[in-house]
Amino acid sequence: RALKLNNTMDLEARIRALVAEHFEDTECFLADVKIAKGGQKIAVFVDDMNKNIEIGCDNGCTTQTAIINLTDDFGLIDHKRTAMSFEKPDTDSNSLTYVYFVASDLTYCKKFAPSLIRKLVELSSLGCHLHFHGIALNEKDAGSHAENWAFLHDLLKGANISSSFTLDVLGMERLNAKQKKSVYASERFRILPDLLKAYDCPVIVADIDQLPLKNPQCILQDNVGVQLLRFPKSVLNFLSVTSATVSVFYPNNGGVEFSQKLGAYIENIYADTNRLDWHVDQAALTSVCYTSSESSKVSYLDPKILEQNPKNVSPKEALIDGAVFWSVTNSIKGNSAALSRLEDYNLPEDA
């Protein structure tokens, strides 16, 4: 069913009415599509989950509804992936408060790893274990050769922080640029169950192009399984209501079950690369969240912890407003300058 109205306020009212009427008893999702010609907005309710529709994202890119799965069968697929092996930290595992987990290809790692390591050492070297996961799409990828990651090993060896590194060569061929970016964004959630099993402490899963402004330990909570960054004002946009920028998973039944479903969700997408598209990581988080039981104990992080406008706000102003993370979001054109702005700023000692 599609609504076509010229008045945006009228459209929003109709959408909200439809959500209230159908969402509780209908397996459907809402996509907010912006048509380029004339900027006309169309809200689409999709009852047939097999019908694939191209939709717009909040970053100007497009994706497809095939990345969304609300049937809850993604956790039942028999995957034959070999579990990742993780280096144990040199420090006593009982002294670890949390794992800070990032994943990227070789190029992004070279660009952002030095800054991330430096900030974590400044803010939270005690009790923090930093895990880097390197992603190589295939044997032709420069990142498939361990020696090309030597710079990262040198950085970690010289830093006063517990750390480890894994590398996975995925054997994925003939992907277009958008599919490659989708893999880079999703791979962390595919291996998350293994990481959570390896370390008996909370795992903060974060974008590598996001830097902490204060000790990330401050976002941890008691008696929860998962913490997701949710934006209530985007509740009608399925692909933006949950951000993959930062999330926290705990080594309890709720956190482990949620992470396993996430891993299976991503494996399912990998099995059909035609479904690899922009925002698949956020679609996975929201889909698993909506189909999980109360035993997962999902809690929501305050959106204020993320400074999303680093081009116009100073790090000092961001800290005053309650930000914990400085999000560069390098995939958006023009945001790369936000990294140098933070690099030129000295964080207060009590951050």
Side-chain angles (χ1 to χ4, degrees):
R1 194 165 15 178
L3 301 175
K4 297 186 179 181
L5 295 87
N6 294 324
N7 188 303
T8 303
M9 292 183 63
D10 190 12
L11 172 61
E12 182 176 349
R14 289 288 302 278
I15 293 172
R16 291 184 181 279
L18 280 173
V19 171
E21 179 183 354
H22 295 285
F23 193 75
E24 290 298 327
D25 58 3
T26 304
E27 272 196 351
C28 61
F29 66 90
L30 188 64
D32 186 17
V33 186
K34 184 174 288 186
I35 305 301
K37 292 183 179 179
Q40 184 185 27
K41 287 190 175 182
I42 301 177
V44 183
F45 258 91
V46 180
D47 296 300
D48 180 4
M49 297 305 293
N50 293 318
K51 186 176 182 181
N52 194 17
I53 298 175
E54 185 180 51
I55 54 178
C57 302
D58 55 1
N59 59 2
C61 297
T62 60
T63 188
Q64 54 182 305
T65 58
I67 66 175
I68 300 172
N69 182 355
L70 290 173
T71 61
D72 197 24
D73 62 357
F74 43 81
L76 304 178
I77 299 172
D78 181 21
H79 299 291
K80 299 180 180 179
R81 175 177 60 88
T82 303
M84 295 290 297
S85 60
F86 293 89
E87 304 171 24
K88 291 297 182 181
D90 296 331
T91 55
D92 182 0
S93 59
N94 293 325
S95 67
L96 292 181
T97 305
Y98 64 94
V99 173
Y100 196 93
F101 173 36
V102 295
S104 78
D105 67 331
L106 185 64
T107 300
Y108 251 50
C109 188
K110 286 182 176 180
K111 183 176 181 65
F112 292 102
S115 300
L116 176 60
I117 293 171
R118 185 160 53 250
K119 291 302 178 185
L120 279 176
V121 170
E122 290 175 4
L123 299 169
S124 58
S125 59
L126 295 178
C128 172
H129 178 79
L130 174 59
H131 184 82
F132 273 96
H133 180 65
I135 305 169
L137 296 176
N138 50 60
E139 295 291 344
K140 298 177 183 178
D141 193 325
S144 66
H145 306 291
E147 60 268 24
N148 288 338
W149 296 87
F151 76 96
L152 179 61
H153 284 282
D154 292 341
L155 284 172
L156 293 173
K157 186 176 180 180
N160 182 29
I161 192 170
S162 173
S163 61
S164 55
F165 172 76
T166 47
L167 173 62
D168 207 355
V169 183
L170 299 173
M172 303 179 78
E173 306 281 350
R174 297 184 295 277
L175 298 183
N176 61 39
K178 193 159 60 167
Q179 288 174 323
K180 291 177 181 179
K181 290 181 179 180
S182 299
V183 172
Y184 298 145
S186 305
E187 178 65 5
R188 51 189 166 171
F189 296 113
R190 188 180 74 90
I191 71 163
L192 175 61
D194 297 333
L195 188 66
L196 198 58
K197 182 179 180 180
Y199 300 104
D200 189 26
C201 62
V203 176
I204 297 176
V205 185
D207 286 348
I208 193 172
D209 57 348
Q210 168 185 279
L211 302 175
L213 291 171
K214 59 172 61 175
N215 191 332
Q217 182 179 342
C218 66
I219 69 174
L220 302 181
Q221 292 182 357
D222 295 324
N223 302 317
V224 298
V226 182
Q227 290 174 273
L228 300 178
L229 184 59
R230 186 173 185 269
F231 294 92
K233 292 182 179 180
S234 298
V235 69
L236 295 181
N237 188 336
F238 193 95
L239 300 179
S240 295
V241 66
T242 307
S243 173
T245 302
V246 62
S247 52
V248 188
F249 296 82
Y250 294 78
N252 52 37
N253 291 338
V256 170
E257 178 186 8
F258 198 107
S259 73
Q260 288 174 340
K261 285 188 175 183
L262 268 181
Y265 194 110
I266 300 303
E267 288 274 9
N268 191 8
I269 296 289
Y270 282 9
D272 180 9
T273 54
N274 289 326
R275 296 171 60 204
L276 259 178
D277 216 327
W278 201 262
H279 275 355
V280 67
D281 51 345
Q282 298 190 166
L285 285 168
T286 305
S287 295
V288 174
C289 179
Y290 282 6
T291 57
S292 291
S293 63
E294 292 184 1
S295 62
S296 293
K297 295 184 177 180
V298 177
S299 178
Y300 297 114
L301 296 163
D302 188 336
K304 289 183 179 180
I305 70 168
L306 183 66
E307 178 50 63
Q308 300 181 85
N309 192 24
K311 290 186 292 184
N312 300 316
V313 176
S314 72
K316 181 178 181 179
E317 291 172 318
L319 277 168
I320 293 174
D321 291 339
V324 179
F325 300 100
W326 181 265
S327 182
V328 175
T329 315
N330 194 66
S331 59
I332 297 179
K333 187 177 181 180
N335 274 12
S336 58
L339 177 62
S340 60
R341 290 192 68 198
L342 181 59
E343 290 292 283
D344 296 337
Y345 177 76
N346 292 319
L347 294 171
E349 295 183 0
D350 60 347

